Amino acid sequence: MNVLVTGGSGQLGRSIMDVAEYSGHRFIYTYMCSQSHEGMVHLDITDPEEVNQAMDDYGIDVIVNCAGYTDVERAESEEDKVFKVNAEAVDVLAGAAKARGALLIHISTDYIFDGTRSEPYSEDAEASPLGVYGRSKLAGELAVRASGARYMIIRTSWLYSRHGKNFVKTILKKSEEQPLLKVVSDQVGTPTYAGDLAEFILTLLEPENLEKTGTYNYANEGVCSWYDLACEVCEMSGNLCEVVPCETGEYPVKAARPHYSVLNKSKVKKTFGIEIPYWKDSLRHCMSEIATSLRSSQ
């Protein structure tokens, strides 16, 4: 099959590139930013003409939409731009998929929920996003469902990897430079290693799974706070940095975050017969990858 991966230069796109190296499928990775990326092609997913042309040129069977505006804080002051990428572009991709009978695998987020519950959110839980980012991602989901295209919406949370910018790499760097870090302890969720999610996406391309359309939650197993995650990063790295818990209200931020955004993964495990790694195990694996990358770059 020919698979178009949008957002190829991001964490998940690059993680898919890592795990798909020996796949029997043909992957076309695209990027939107002005900076070119080796092995990828430029594609403005907000432009229907460009998207349709790419679909025809490469004979696309599946779109994996990893593209997105993910800066939650900046999103509050760039609403038009956020919705253009996270909602309008998704509508363009869904329309192109529908016109050709292609499957659209769209990546969404736990931030579509307000975090007021105390038990994991299932796929049919009521969405009530708190900020611009969450509202734009919900609008993207609604566009996919309204398009009539064959789709799988995959909601995930707290994504990190050895690629790009993310919380794990930020804490790793700061804990090397500072003796003390304050990290919020009243936001609870599940860190998700992008490599695990990429592996799962590859299983969706297997013939027996292509028709299992619908919405699914995928995150690593377990629950923690950002504080817990920061403590684990410091412990695994051996950085002698004191991590102090604090409350969200101690930070002056524009965007409200859900205090509890744990996702229920029963449906995805039952439907696809998969086991999902525990978050600490995946974090340990990623930390090893980061250390290897740092050594090779020196």
Side-chain angles (χ1 to χ4, degrees), residues 35-68:
Q35 181 182 357
S36 63
H37 293 269
E38 186 178 355
M40 301 183 192
V41 297
H42 184 271
L43 177 65
D44 182 355
I45 60 172
T46 68
D47 186 328
E49 186 175 344
E50 279 196 35
V51 170
N52 283 297
Q53 189 65 54
M55 294 288 289
D56 293 336
D57 287 349
Y58 296 106
I60 298 302
D61 302 295
V62 178
I63 302 172
V64 181
N65 182 33
C66 304

Side-chain angles (χ1 to χ4, degrees), residues 146-217:
S147 70
R150 292 168 49 231
Y151 72 85
M152 295 179 187
I153 294 173
I154 311 298
R155 293 179 185 146
T156 192
S157 63
W158 297 20
L159 207 63
Y160 69 91
S161 72
R162 67 185 177 94
H163 302 293
K165 297 178 180 179
N166 55 69
F167 180 84
V168 168
K169 291 177 69 176
T170 296
I171 293 298
L172 184 60
K173 186 175 189 301
K174 287 186 175 182
S175 64
E176 292 172 346
E177 302 170 344
Q178 303 174 23
L180 183 145
L181 292 175
K182 293 178 66 176
V183 183
V184 294
S185 60
D186 58 352
Q187 293 176 30
V188 177
T190 305
T192 305
Y193 172 49
D196 291 337
L197 179 54
E199 291 276 11
F200 170 62
I201 289 172
L202 255 62
T203 68
L204 300 180
L205 303 180
E206 296 173 3
E208 64 272 21
N209 291 332
L210 289 172
E211 299 305 320
K212 296 176 181 179
T213 54
T215 301
Y216 299 95
N217 294 334

Side-chain angles (χ1 to χ4, degrees), residues 14-291:
R14 293 172 71 180
S15 295
I16 292 174
M17 184 178 287
D18 289 342
V19 302
E21 183 177 359
Y22 302 107
S23 168
H25 305 299
R26 178 194 183 201
F27 287 82
I28 298 92
Y29 299 92
T30 75
Y31 65 95
M32 272 186 67
C33 58
S34 56
Q35 181 182 357
S36 63
H37 293 269
E38 186 178 355
M40 301 183 192
V41 297
H42 184 271
L43 177 65
D44 182 355
I45 60 172
T46 68
D47 186 328
E49 186 175 344
E50 279 196 35
V51 170
N52 283 297
Q53 189 65 54
M55 294 288 289
D56 293 336
D57 287 349
Y58 296 106
I60 298 302
D61 302 295
V62 178
I63 302 172
V64 181
N65 182 33
C66 304
Y69 186 115
T70 59
D71 189 326
V72 176
E73 191 69 7
R74 185 180 294 180
E76 293 299 309
S77 57
E78 296 187 345
E79 184 166 353
D80 290 346
K81 185 176 180 180
V82 178
F83 270 81
K84 190 170 185 65
V85 176
N86 290 351
E88 294 174 27
V90 177
D91 190 43
V92 170
L93 293 171
K98 167 65 175 176
R100 293 160 181 80
L103 172 67
L104 172 60
I105 300 174
H106 174 64
I107 308 303
S108 191
T109 176
D110 58 324
Y111 273 48
I112 67 164
F113 300 117
D114 60 15
T116 58
R117 294 179 56 162
S118 57
E119 59 185 28
Y121 286 88
S122 62
E123 287 81 357
D124 58 0
E126 182 179 0
S128 181
L130 297 175
V132 171
Y133 170 69
R135 292 199 301 272
S136 71
K137 292 298 287 185
L138 177 58
E141 286 194 16
L142 295 175
V144 171
R145 295 191 186 97
S147 70
R150 292 168 49 231
Y151 72 85
M152 295 179 187
I153 294 173
I154 311 298
R155 293 179 185 146
T156 192
S157 63
W158 297 20
L159 207 63
Y160 69 91
S161 72
R162 67 185 177 94
H163 302 293
K165 297 178 180 179
N166 55 69
F167 180 84
V168 168
K169 291 177 69 176
T170 296
I171 293 298
L172 184 60
K173 186 175 189 301
K174 287 186 175 182
S175 64
E176 292 172 346
E177 302 170 344
Q178 303 174 23
L180 183 145
L181 292 175
K182 293 178 66 176
V183 183
V184 294
S185 60
D186 58 352
Q187 293 176 30
V188 177
T190 305
T192 305
Y193 172 49
D196 291 337
L197 179 54
E199 291 276 11
F200 170 62
I201 289 172
L202 255 62
T203 68
L204 300 180
L205 303 180
E206 296 173 3
E208 64 272 21
N209 291 332
L210 289 172
E211 299 305 320
K212 296 176 181 179
T213 54
T215 301
Y216 299 95
N217 294 334
Y218 184 97
N220 281 131
E221 294 284 23
V223 177
C224 72
S225 68
W226 291 113
Y227 165 76
D228 297 325
L229 177 55
C231 288
E232 285 297 325
V233 170
C234 290
E235 182 175 338
M236 290 181 185
S237 65
N239 291 343
L240 300 177
C241 174
E242 182 181 2
V243 184
V244 178
C246 66
E247 296 182 358
T248 300
E250 295 180 43
Y251 281 93
V253 295
K254 296 179 182 178
R257 274 82 164 171
H259 283 278
Y260 182 90
S261 60
V262 179
L263 299 174
N264 185 315
K265 300 172 289 291
S266 299
K267 179 181 176 182
V268 75
K269 289 188 286 188
K270 181 178 180 181
T271 301
F272 297 98
I274 60 170
E275 293 185 1
I276 299 177
Y278 181 55
W279 73 268
K280 287 187 181 181
D281 296 332
S282 292
L283 176 63
R284 188 173 294 107
H285 178 76
C286 183
M287 293 286 287
S288 177
E289 287 188 330
I290 293 171

